[in-house]
Amino acid sequence: MQRRDRIFKWICAGCALCIGLLVPGIFLQLGLHSADAWREFGVGFLWSSDWDPAQELYGAWPNVAGTLFTTGLALLLAVPPAFVAALFVVEVPGWLGRPLSYCVDLLAAIPSVIYGMWGLFVLVPLMLEHVQPFFAETLGLAELPGGRWLLGEDYNGFGFLTAGVILALMILPYMSAVMRDVFRMTPTVLRESAYGLGCTRWEVTRDVVVRYGVRGLLGGIFIGMGRALGETMAVLFVIGNLMEVPAGLFSGGTTIAATLACNFAESDGLQRSSLFALGLVLLVLCLGIQIAAQYYLHLTGAKRGEAR
Amino acid sequence: MMNSQQISVLTAAQRRPLLFRKLKNKVLSVFSLFSVVLAVGGMVWILCTVLTHGAQSISWEFLTSPSKPYGEPGSGIANALLGTLMMTGVATLLAVPPAMAGGIYLAEFGQGSRLAAVLRFCANVMMGVPSIIVGLFVYVLLVVSTGNFSGFAGAVALAVIMFPVVMRTTEDMLSMVPVTLRESALALGMSRARATLCIVARSARNGLVTGVLLALARVSGETAPLLFTAMFADAWPGGFFSRPTASIPVLINEYTMNSPFESMHAAGWGAALIICLLILLINILTRSIFHEKQH
């Protein structure tokens, strides 16, 4: 009986070890296949903005900048609503809160290609006909000195703002769900004593709940950020797919994931190697974000009781 | 620390007039309600668009005939639907047994061990790896080495995505089982393996099924990892191991992103409706299973 137990344990451990091999394995694969590009362009690959298949010149900067720009926009648009939405879901009575939680979970389950499609057929015309003319002409932002710099030269519905809006809509439920859990972990005694002192709901949130769970909130934001960085399909449909450094909110561009999806199938030689290098850059970015998220969530994990 | 916090709250409250504080609270409450409406409204908007556009193209023929090359009218989605079912099915078969064994290791044998902590961390990190990177990985692993795109490569990519999700939920669900249950099983003279499989896993059964279904729902809508592995084909999935295989998400991408034809857009909306229904169905099923457990 002892021996059978040991065999069982080793089988389980072996299966668990697969995951330990997978992460370095992916790194190794991308590293090996991008070796040509790194050898050819060096570290300068990261900030060179060439992309010329005819002359075999490749650089990562338009992609990296586009990825960071869309992610930043998405976070800017999604973090405040996610925060207050989580507040609302925690504070409302159960009969309303539970269906709302369901809805938020369902929103997280819709495939990203549907978001992309909705973006292409609904959001892009909307941006083109109403939102972008409103900002550029009605508000006259395009005429202001810094306007061109902010909005870009022209607009056609596609571009960074459209991608940012879709990404924000996608990551909102994720972040909201994590923040909701963080809010729930504040001890009721602490909250009630603050109410007892005569604080309003907002003051309790700002001075007690947020201070208690600030690391968990950071973890939630990082999780949303990780998703926004690596999102492919939702961005691919609306970004415009131009190999250009971002010129403004309404200008078209590309992100690492979108470039991979567009160009990988037809590429070969040095271009393929450069695409692998782009993938490696994206992987490193995502791992960094994920490690930060895990670190902050781990710090609050003991308080939350982990298993909930 | 708690005292100083409360004092700071108190002094802050004294400095501001009551009316201002109440007003601020009201404004924040309205903003909070507005955000919830935004999140839920966004979902309703997307689903309504998919429903209104998609319902027009759904018909018996649409569901039973295969897709056709560009520009030919009357294309269906049957081959893609079959491809999606096959790929997610094979991915489940590949990923779930080892992932569950891994989860059992983390929950039953890995409490406090350093190796388990590292593996747990790896699983968490793996969940954050973008799906398109997984696509690249499997492309090199299977497509380059065998020389052709195949449905099997797509299934492996989906399995890689499923693996950490199922492993972590298995661990979470097993750790929720009370220790006393384990101890009483062992006290009856059961082996550790038997106690784990027959007692612990059994009492966590609903949770495990929920975890697998949620992972399944997640991968059945994945597009990016299939672009370079299973690709797309206008034919019935013939050679699962040797030929490109169509799937619903990639079909949506092909029909909407890469096609100028109005009829193909309509077919794309129909496919979107089908995949949404499939995923919502899995989610509702999951809810009902989990709900049952709580009573």
Side-chain angles (χ1 to χ4, degrees), chain B residues 106-143:
Chain B
L106 291 186
E108 301 292 316
F109 303 106
Q111 296 304 342
S113 98
R114 186 164 288 177
L115 175 68
V118 169
L119 291 176
R120 197 172 293 129
F121 176 77
C122 279
N124 286 341
V125 165
M126 196 57 212
M127 281 201 269
V129 170
S131 54
I132 192 155
I133 300 287
V134 174
L136 281 187
F137 173 66
V138 175
Y139 171 83
V140 174
L141 201 69
L142 283 176
V143 177

mmCIF file of all heavy atoms in Angstrom, chain B residues 106-143:
data_model
loop_
_atom_site.group_PDB
_atom_site.id
_atom_site.type_symbol
_atom_site.label_atom_id
_atom_site.label_comp_id
_atom_site.label_asym_id
_atom_site.label_seq_id
_atom_site.Cartn_x
_atom_site.Cartn_y
_atom_site.Cartn_z
ATOM 1 N N LEU B 106 -0.521 19.676 -5.941
ATOM 2 C CA LEU B 106 -0.393 20.955 -5.241
ATOM 3 C C LEU B 106 -1.220 20.964 -3.958
ATOM 4 O O LEU B 106 -0.784 21.461 -2.921
ATOM 5 C CB LEU B 106 -0.842 22.106 -6.141
ATOM 6 C CG LEU B 106 0.038 22.442 -7.336
ATOM 7 C CD1 LEU B 106 -0.479 23.684 -8.030
ATOM 8 C CD2 LEU B 106 1.467 22.646 -6.910
ATOM 9 N N ALA B 107 -2.432 20.392 -4.019
ATOM 10 C CA ALA B 107 -3.324 20.498 -2.867
ATOM 11 C C ALA B 107 -3.011 19.452 -1.795
ATOM 12 O O ALA B 107 -3.074 19.743 -0.606
ATOM 13 C CB ALA B 107 -4.771 20.355 -3.329
ATOM 14 N N GLU B 108 -2.662 18.225 -2.201
ATOM 15 C CA GLU B 108 -2.550 17.135 -1.235
ATOM 16 C C GLU B 108 -1.129 16.906 -0.745
ATOM 17 O O GLU B 108 -0.906 16.555 0.408
ATOM 18 C CB GLU B 108 -3.055 15.824 -1.852
ATOM 19 C CG GLU B 108 -4.497 15.880 -2.304
ATOM 20 C CD GLU B 108 -5.451 15.984 -1.118
ATOM 21 O OE1 GLU B 108 -5.255 15.260 -0.144
ATOM 22 O OE2 GLU B 108 -6.380 16.807 -1.192
ATOM 23 N N PHE B 109 -0.150 17.065 -1.641
ATOM 24 C CA PHE B 109 1.218 16.747 -1.258
ATOM 25 C C PHE B 109 2.083 17.982 -1.158
ATOM 26 O O PHE B 109 3.190 17.919 -0.664
ATOM 27 C CB PHE B 109 1.845 15.783 -2.267
ATOM 28 C CG PHE B 109 1.074 14.519 -2.437
ATOM 29 C CD1 PHE B 109 0.313 14.295 -3.583
ATOM 30 C CD2 PHE B 109 1.090 13.552 -1.451
ATOM 31 C CE1 PHE B 109 -0.410 13.138 -3.735
ATOM 32 C CE2 PHE B 109 0.359 12.388 -1.606
ATOM 33 C CZ PHE B 109 -0.395 12.184 -2.744
ATOM 34 N N GLY B 110 1.587 19.094 -1.655
ATOM 35 C CA GLY B 110 2.462 20.261 -1.796
ATOM 36 C C GLY B 110 2.257 21.339 -0.761
ATOM 37 O O GLY B 110 2.720 22.449 -0.946
ATOM 38 N N GLN B 111 1.551 21.033 0.333
ATOM 39 C CA GLN B 111 1.361 22.093 1.326
ATOM 40 C C GLN B 111 2.681 22.404 1.999
ATOM 41 O O GLN B 111 3.275 21.560 2.644
ATOM 42 C CB GLN B 111 0.326 21.652 2.383
ATOM 43 C CG GLN B 111 -1.071 21.430 1.833
ATOM 44 C CD GLN B 111 -1.629 22.650 1.109
ATOM 45 O OE1 GLN B 111 -1.161 23.759 1.275
ATOM 46 N NE2 GLN B 111 -2.637 22.438 0.275
ATOM 47 N N GLY B 112 3.146 23.638 1.825
ATOM 48 C CA GLY B 112 4.364 24.058 2.498
ATOM 49 C C GLY B 112 5.645 23.645 1.802
ATOM 50 O O GLY B 112 6.719 23.991 2.256
ATOM 51 N N SER B 113 5.558 22.892 0.686
ATOM 52 C CA SER B 113 6.805 22.520 0.021
ATOM 53 C C SER B 113 7.201 23.610 -0.965
ATOM 54 O O SER B 113 6.350 24.281 -1.537
ATOM 55 C CB SER B 113 6.655 21.178 -0.697
ATOM 56 O OG SER B 113 6.381 21.375 -2.052
ATOM 57 N N ARG B 114 8.500 23.775 -1.124
ATOM 58 C CA ARG B 114 8.979 24.871 -1.960
ATOM 59 C C ARG B 114 8.717 24.598 -3.439
ATOM 60 O O ARG B 114 8.339 25.496 -4.187
ATOM 61 C CB ARG B 114 10.462 25.088 -1.709
ATOM 62 C CG ARG B 114 11.004 26.295 -2.440
ATOM 63 C CD ARG B 114 12.332 26.728 -1.904
ATOM 64 N NE ARG B 114 12.220 27.337 -0.594
ATOM 65 C CZ ARG B 114 13.276 27.749 0.113
ATOM 66 N NH1 ARG B 114 14.471 27.613 -0.382
ATOM 67 N NH2 ARG B 114 13.124 28.287 1.295
ATOM 68 N N LEU B 115 8.872 23.318 -3.828
ATOM 69 C CA LEU B 115 8.631 22.953 -5.222
ATOM 70 C C LEU B 115 7.203 23.309 -5.627
ATOM 71 O O LEU B 115 6.960 23.893 -6.684
ATOM 72 C CB LEU B 115 8.873 21.450 -5.410
ATOM 73 C CG LEU B 115 8.532 20.909 -6.789
ATOM 74 C CD1 LEU B 115 9.508 21.451 -7.824
ATOM 75 C CD2 LEU B 115 8.547 19.391 -6.813
ATOM 76 N N ALA B 116 6.258 22.983 -4.735
ATOM 77 C CA ALA B 116 4.866 23.270 -5.055
ATOM 78 C C ALA B 116 4.627 24.769 -5.175
ATOM 79 O O ALA B 116 3.867 25.212 -6.038
ATOM 80 C CB ALA B 116 3.948 22.679 -3.986
ATOM 81 N N ALA B 117 5.302 25.551 -4.337
ATOM 82 C CA ALA B 117 5.132 27.006 -4.417
ATOM 83 C C ALA B 117 5.621 27.521 -5.761
ATOM 84 O O ALA B 117 4.966 28.355 -6.396
ATOM 85 C CB ALA B 117 5.882 27.682 -3.270
ATOM 86 N N VAL B 118 6.767 26.976 -6.207
ATOM 87 C CA VAL B 118 7.303 27.398 -7.505
ATOM 88 C C VAL B 118 6.337 27.016 -8.621
ATOM 89 O O VAL B 118 6.039 27.804 -9.522
ATOM 90 C CB VAL B 118 8.690 26.757 -7.742
ATOM 91 C CG1 VAL B 118 9.140 26.971 -9.174
ATOM 92 C CG2 VAL B 118 9.708 27.330 -6.783
ATOM 93 N N LEU B 119 5.808 25.778 -8.553
ATOM 94 C CA LEU B 119 4.904 25.308 -9.610
ATOM 95 C C LEU B 119 3.620 26.134 -9.621
ATOM 96 O O LEU B 119 3.078 26.451 -10.682
ATOM 97 C CB LEU B 119 4.588 23.831 -9.406
ATOM 98 C CG LEU B 119 5.767 22.895 -9.658
ATOM 99 C CD1 LEU B 119 5.378 21.470 -9.345
ATOM 100 C CD2 LEU B 119 6.246 23.009 -11.087
ATOM 101 N N ARG B 120 3.138 26.465 -8.415
ATOM 102 C CA ARG B 120 1.923 27.287 -8.321
ATOM 103 C C ARG B 120 2.152 28.642 -8.983
ATOM 104 O O ARG B 120 1.325 29.129 -9.750
ATOM 105 C CB ARG B 120 1.567 27.464 -6.848
ATOM 106 C CG ARG B 120 0.162 27.921 -6.586
ATOM 107 C CD ARG B 120 -0.143 27.885 -5.106
ATOM 108 N NE ARG B 120 -0.172 26.529 -4.578
ATOM 109 C CZ ARG B 120 0.497 26.134 -3.505
ATOM 110 N NH1 ARG B 120 1.259 26.986 -2.849
ATOM 111 N NH2 ARG B 120 0.418 24.893 -3.092
ATOM 112 N N PHE B 121 3.334 29.199 -8.700
ATOM 113 C CA PHE B 121 3.693 30.480 -9.291
ATOM 114 C C PHE B 121 3.762 30.361 -10.814
ATOM 115 O O PHE B 121 3.234 31.202 -11.546
ATOM 116 C CB PHE B 121 5.036 30.932 -8.718
ATOM 117 C CG PHE B 121 5.557 32.191 -9.315
ATOM 118 C CD1 PHE B 121 5.020 33.410 -8.935
ATOM 119 C CD2 PHE B 121 6.562 32.162 -10.260
ATOM 120 C CE1 PHE B 121 5.486 34.570 -9.496
ATOM 121 C CE2 PHE B 121 7.036 33.326 -10.821
ATOM 122 C CZ PHE B 121 6.497 34.531 -10.444
ATOM 123 N N CYS B 122 4.371 29.267 -11.296
ATOM 124 C CA CYS B 122 4.469 29.038 -12.742
ATOM 125 C C CYS B 122 3.083 28.977 -13.365
ATOM 126 O O CYS B 122 2.838 29.537 -14.438
ATOM 127 C CB CYS B 122 5.198 27.736 -13.042
ATOM 128 S SG CYS B 122 6.973 27.890 -12.975
ATOM 129 N N ALA B 123 2.157 28.287 -12.684
ATOM 130 C CA ALA B 123 0.802 28.162 -13.231
ATOM 131 C C ALA B 123 0.141 29.531 -13.316
ATOM 132 O O ALA B 123 -0.490 29.865 -14.321
ATOM 133 C CB ALA B 123 -0.025 27.226 -12.362
ATOM 134 N N ASN B 124 0.316 30.342 -12.263
ATOM 135 C CA ASN B 124 -0.267 31.682 -12.291
ATOM 136 C C ASN B 124 0.312 32.513 -13.420
ATOM 137 O O ASN B 124 -0.410 33.221 -14.117
ATOM 138 C CB ASN B 124 -0.019 32.397 -10.960
ATOM 139 C CG ASN B 124 -0.899 31.852 -9.869
ATOM 140 O OD1 ASN B 124 -1.909 31.221 -10.152
ATOM 141 N ND2 ASN B 124 -0.525 32.075 -8.633
ATOM 142 N N VAL B 125 1.638 32.417 -13.588
ATOM 143 C CA VAL B 125 2.285 33.177 -14.648
ATOM 144 C C VAL B 125 1.804 32.694 -16.010
ATOM 145 O O VAL B 125 1.501 33.469 -16.901
ATOM 146 C CB VAL B 125 3.813 33.053 -14.523
ATOM 147 C CG1 VAL B 125 4.495 33.501 -15.791
ATOM 148 C CG2 VAL B 125 4.313 33.857 -13.357
ATOM 149 N N MET B 126 1.678 31.369 -16.140
ATOM 150 C CA MET B 126 1.253 30.767 -17.407
ATOM 151 C C MET B 126 -0.144 31.252 -17.797
ATOM 152 O O MET B 126 -0.450 31.410 -18.974
ATOM 153 C CB MET B 126 1.273 29.250 -17.212
ATOM 154 C CG MET B 126 1.233 28.425 -18.461
ATOM 155 S SD MET B 126 2.547 28.788 -19.590
ATOM 156 C CE MET B 126 1.665 28.469 -21.104
ATOM 157 N N MET B 127 -0.991 31.492 -16.802
ATOM 158 C CA MET B 127 -2.333 31.997 -17.107
ATOM 159 C C MET B 127 -2.273 33.397 -17.700
ATOM 160 O O MET B 127 -3.202 33.827 -18.363
ATOM 161 C CB MET B 127 -3.186 32.009 -15.837
ATOM 162 C CG MET B 127 -3.718 30.646 -15.481
ATOM 163 S SD MET B 127 -5.134 30.756 -14.402
ATOM 164 C CE MET B 127 -4.391 30.715 -12.818
ATOM 165 N N GLY B 128 -1.170 34.118 -17.448
ATOM 166 C CA GLY B 128 -1.062 35.472 -17.960
ATOM 167 C C GLY B 128 -0.330 35.565 -19.287
ATOM 168 O O GLY B 128 -0.219 36.638 -19.851
ATOM 169 N N VAL B 129 0.181 34.431 -19.796
ATOM 170 C CA VAL B 129 0.876 34.468 -21.085
ATOM 171 C C VAL B 129 -0.153 34.702 -22.192
ATOM 172 O O VAL B 129 -1.162 34.012 -22.242
ATOM 173 C CB VAL B 129 1.639 33.144 -21.325
ATOM 174 C CG1 VAL B 129 2.155 33.073 -22.739
ATOM 175 C CG2 VAL B 129 2.785 33.010 -20.356
ATOM 176 N N PRO B 130 0.089 35.683 -23.071
ATOM 177 C CA PRO B 130 -0.885 35.969 -24.126
ATOM 178 C C PRO B 130 -1.118 34.743 -25.004
ATOM 179 O O PRO B 130 -0.178 33.995 -25.286
ATOM 180 C CB PRO B 130 -0.222 37.077 -24.944
ATOM 181 C CG PRO B 130 0.818 37.638 -24.091
ATOM 182 C CD PRO B 130 1.238 36.580 -23.137
ATOM 183 N N SER B 131 -2.365 34.556 -25.440
ATOM 184 C CA SER B 131 -2.675 33.333 -26.174
ATOM 185 C C SER B 131 -1.952 33.275 -27.509
ATOM 186 O O SER B 131 -1.665 32.197 -28.014
ATOM 187 C CB SER B 131 -4.184 33.199 -26.357
ATOM 188 O OG SER B 131 -4.708 34.347 -26.949
ATOM 189 N N ILE B 132 -1.619 34.445 -28.073
ATOM 190 C CA ILE B 132 -0.939 34.408 -29.376
ATOM 191 C C ILE B 132 0.483 33.869 -29.228
ATOM 192 O O ILE B 132 1.014 33.216 -30.132
ATOM 193 C CB ILE B 132 -0.947 35.796 -30.046
ATOM 194 C CG1 ILE B 132 -0.522 35.679 -31.491
ATOM 195 C CG2 ILE B 132 -0.066 36.786 -29.312
ATOM 196 C CD1 ILE B 132 -1.012 36.756 -32.367
ATOM 197 N N ILE B 133 1.091 34.089 -28.050
ATOM 198 C CA ILE B 133 2.429 33.547 -27.788
ATOM 199 C C ILE B 133 2.358 32.021 -27.705
ATOM 200 O O ILE B 133 3.234 31.312 -28.204
ATOM 201 C CB ILE B 133 2.993 34.126 -26.476
ATOM 202 C CG1 ILE B 133 3.108 35.642 -26.555
ATOM 203 C CG2 ILE B 133 4.331 33.527 -26.140
ATOM 204 C CD1 ILE B 133 4.202 36.143 -27.420
ATOM 205 N N VAL B 134 1.282 31.519 -27.083
ATOM 206 C CA VAL B 134 1.087 30.073 -27.044
ATOM 207 C C VAL B 134 0.972 29.539 -28.468
ATOM 208 O O VAL B 134 1.513 28.480 -28.801
ATOM 209 C CB VAL B 134 -0.169 29.725 -26.215
ATOM 210 C CG1 VAL B 134 -0.456 28.244 -26.290
ATOM 211 C CG2 VAL B 134 0.007 30.154 -24.787
ATOM 212 N N GLY B 135 0.285 30.307 -29.337
ATOM 213 C CA GLY B 135 0.181 29.929 -30.744
ATOM 214 C C GLY B 135 1.546 29.813 -31.391
ATOM 215 O O GLY B 135 1.842 28.823 -32.078
ATOM 216 N N LEU B 136 2.423 30.783 -31.144
ATOM 217 C CA LEU B 136 3.782 30.753 -31.708
ATOM 218 C C LEU B 136 4.533 29.521 -31.221
ATOM 219 O O LEU B 136 5.185 28.821 -31.995
ATOM 220 C CB LEU B 136 4.571 31.986 -31.260
ATOM 221 C CG LEU B 136 4.333 33.318 -31.950
ATOM 222 C CD1 LEU B 136 5.337 34.331 -31.454
ATOM 223 C CD2 LEU B 136 4.452 33.163 -33.438
ATOM 224 N N PHE B 137 4.413 29.262 -29.906
ATOM 225 C CA PHE B 137 5.105 28.134 -29.286
ATOM 226 C C PHE B 137 4.696 26.817 -29.950
ATOM 227 O O PHE B 137 5.539 26.018 -30.351
ATOM 228 C CB PHE B 137 4.764 28.132 -27.792
ATOM 229 C CG PHE B 137 5.268 26.947 -27.034
ATOM 230 C CD1 PHE B 137 6.616 26.743 -26.876
ATOM 231 C CD2 PHE B 137 4.381 26.058 -26.462
ATOM 232 C CE1 PHE B 137 7.082 25.665 -26.164
ATOM 233 C CE2 PHE B 137 4.838 24.974 -25.755
ATOM 234 C CZ PHE B 137 6.197 24.768 -25.613
ATOM 235 N N VAL B 138 3.380 26.625 -30.090
ATOM 236 C CA VAL B 138 2.905 25.363 -30.668
ATOM 237 C C VAL B 138 3.225 25.299 -32.155
ATOM 238 O O VAL B 138 3.486 24.222 -32.694
ATOM 239 C CB VAL B 138 1.402 25.183 -30.394
ATOM 240 C CG1 VAL B 138 0.871 23.952 -31.086
ATOM 241 C CG2 VAL B 138 1.164 25.088 -28.911
ATOM 242 N N TYR B 139 3.246 26.470 -32.809
ATOM 243 C CA TYR B 139 3.630 26.495 -34.222
ATOM 244 C C TYR B 139 5.024 25.902 -34.396
ATOM 245 O O TYR B 139 5.236 25.035 -35.243
ATOM 246 C CB TYR B 139 3.598 27.936 -34.739
ATOM 247 C CG TYR B 139 4.170 28.101 -36.118
ATOM 248 C CD1 TYR B 139 3.393 27.847 -37.236
ATOM 249 C CD2 TYR B 139 5.493 28.484 -36.296
ATOM 250 C CE1 TYR B 139 3.927 27.972 -38.504
ATOM 251 C CE2 TYR B 139 6.034 28.610 -37.552
ATOM 252 C CZ TYR B 139 5.247 28.351 -38.654
ATOM 253 O OH TYR B 139 5.780 28.466 -39.900
ATOM 254 N N VAL B 140 5.960 26.367 -33.567
ATOM 255 C CA VAL B 140 7.325 25.853 -33.665
ATOM 256 C C VAL B 140 7.368 24.386 -33.288
ATOM 257 O O VAL B 140 8.014 23.570 -33.934
ATOM 258 C CB VAL B 140 8.262 26.659 -32.740
ATOM 259 C CG1 VAL B 140 9.643 26.049 -32.731
ATOM 260 C CG2 VAL B 140 8.323 28.089 -33.196
ATOM 261 N N LEU B 141 6.616 24.049 -32.241
ATOM 262 C CA LEU B 141 6.659 22.691 -31.699
ATOM 263 C C LEU B 141 6.078 21.663 -32.668
ATOM 264 O O LEU B 141 6.669 20.614 -32.897
ATOM 265 C CB LEU B 141 5.864 22.666 -30.393
ATOM 266 C CG LEU B 141 6.161 21.552 -29.418
ATOM 267 C CD1 LEU B 141 7.542 21.752 -28.827
ATOM 268 C CD2 LEU B 141 5.109 21.563 -28.318
ATOM 269 N N LEU B 142 4.919 21.967 -33.255
ATOM 270 C CA LEU B 142 4.223 20.948 -34.043
ATOM 271 C C LEU B 142 4.165 21.235 -35.538
ATOM 272 O O LEU B 142 4.324 20.341 -36.344
ATOM 273 C CB LEU B 142 2.797 20.779 -33.514
ATOM 274 C CG LEU B 142 2.683 19.966 -32.234
ATOM 275 C CD1 LEU B 142 1.263 19.934 -31.760
ATOM 276 C CD2 LEU B 142 3.188 18.559 -32.470
ATOM 277 N N VAL B 143 3.910 22.515 -35.903
ATOM 278 C CA VAL B 143 3.730 22.796 -37.330
ATOM 279 C C VAL B 143 5.063 22.737 -38.059
ATOM 280 O O VAL B 143 5.168 22.129 -39.124
ATOM 281 C CB VAL B 143 3.043 24.155 -37.543
ATOM 282 C CG1 VAL B 143 2.918 24.467 -39.009
ATOM 283 C CG2 VAL B 143 1.681 24.146 -36.880
#
